[in-house]
Short mmCIF file of all heavy atoms in Angstrom, two decimals:
data_model
loop_
_atom_site.label_atom_id
_atom_site.label_comp_id
_atom_site.label_asym_id
_atom_site.label_seq_id
_atom_site.Cartn_x
_atom_site.Cartn_y
_atom_site.Cartn_z
N VAL A 24 28.66 21.02 75.82
CA VAL A 24 27.98 20.96 77.01
C VAL A 24 26.56 21.54 76.87
O VAL A 24 25.57 20.91 77.47
CB VAL A 24 28.70 21.69 78.07
CG1 VAL A 24 27.99 21.65 79.37
CG2 VAL A 24 30.16 21.05 78.32
N ASP A 25 26.43 22.64 76.24
CA ASP A 25 25.12 23.16 76.02
C ASP A 25 24.16 22.32 75.15
O ASP A 25 23.02 22.11 75.40
CB ASP A 25 25.26 24.48 75.36
CG ASP A 25 23.88 25.29 75.24
OD1 ASP A 25 23.10 25.32 76.32
OD2 ASP A 25 23.46 25.65 74.24
N THR A 26 24.80 21.61 74.19
CA THR A 26 23.97 20.66 73.36
C THR A 26 23.43 19.52 74.22
O THR A 26 22.32 19.07 74.03
CB THR A 26 24.88 20.09 72.22
OG1 THR A 26 25.40 21.22 71.36
CG2 THR A 26 24.11 19.17 71.35
N PHE A 27 24.29 18.89 75.10
CA PHE A 27 23.87 17.77 76.00
C PHE A 27 22.87 18.24 76.96
O PHE A 27 21.91 17.50 77.16
CB PHE A 27 25.10 17.16 76.61
CG PHE A 27 25.91 16.34 75.70
CD1 PHE A 27 27.34 16.31 75.81
CD2 PHE A 27 25.38 15.41 74.83
CE1 PHE A 27 28.13 15.65 75.01
CE2 PHE A 27 26.14 14.58 74.01
CZ PHE A 27 27.47 14.71 74.14
N ARG A 28 23.01 19.51 77.46
CA ARG A 28 22.06 19.99 78.27
C ARG A 28 20.66 20.19 77.63
O ARG A 28 19.57 19.73 78.23
CB ARG A 28 22.40 21.38 78.79
CG ARG A 28 21.41 21.89 79.94
CD ARG A 28 21.63 23.40 80.19
NE ARG A 28 21.56 24.29 79.00
CZ ARG A 28 20.34 24.66 78.50
NH1 ARG A 28 19.21 24.22 78.93
NH2 ARG A 28 20.37 25.50 77.40
N GLN A 29 20.57 20.59 76.26
CA GLN A 29 19.32 20.67 75.60
C GLN A 29 18.79 19.34 75.33
O GLN A 29 17.53 19.04 75.41
CB GLN A 29 19.63 21.33 74.29
CG GLN A 29 19.82 22.82 74.46
CD GLN A 29 20.16 23.56 73.16
OE1 GLN A 29 20.31 22.97 72.06
NE2 GLN A 29 20.24 24.86 73.17
N ALA A 30 19.58 18.29 75.07
CA ALA A 30 19.05 16.92 74.88
C ALA A 30 18.44 16.40 76.15
O ALA A 30 17.39 15.71 76.13
CB ALA A 30 20.19 16.03 74.43
N GLY A 31 19.01 16.77 77.29
CA GLY A 31 18.44 16.33 78.60
C GLY A 31 17.13 16.96 78.74
O GLY A 31 16.10 16.30 79.33
N VAL A 32 16.93 18.20 78.53
CA VAL A 32 15.61 18.93 78.58
C VAL A 32 14.55 18.26 77.71
O VAL A 32 13.55 18.10 78.15
CB VAL A 32 15.83 20.46 78.23
CG1 VAL A 32 14.43 21.09 78.22
CG2 VAL A 32 16.65 21.12 79.19
N TYR A 33 15.09 17.95 76.47
CA TYR A 33 14.02 17.14 75.53
C TYR A 33 13.65 15.82 76.14
O TYR A 33 12.52 15.42 76.06
CB TYR A 33 14.78 17.01 74.27
CG TYR A 33 14.29 17.99 73.17
CD1 TYR A 33 14.38 19.28 73.35
CD2 TYR A 33 13.75 17.52 71.96
CE1 TYR A 33 14.11 20.26 72.32
CE2 TYR A 33 13.51 18.44 70.88
CZ TYR A 33 13.57 19.82 71.20
OH TYR A 33 13.16 20.75 70.32
N ALA A 34 14.78 15.11 76.64
CA ALA A 34 14.39 13.74 77.15
C ALA A 34 13.34 13.95 78.42
O ALA A 34 12.47 13.05 78.57
CB ALA A 34 15.67 13.11 77.63
N GLY A 35 13.60 14.92 79.21
CA GLY A 35 12.71 15.18 80.24
C GLY A 35 11.29 15.45 79.95
O GLY A 35 10.37 15.02 80.46
#
Side-chain angles (χ1 to χ4, degrees):
V24 174
D25 189 50
T26 302
F27 286 137
R28 184 192 60 76
Q29 288 177 353
V32 170
Y33 260 53

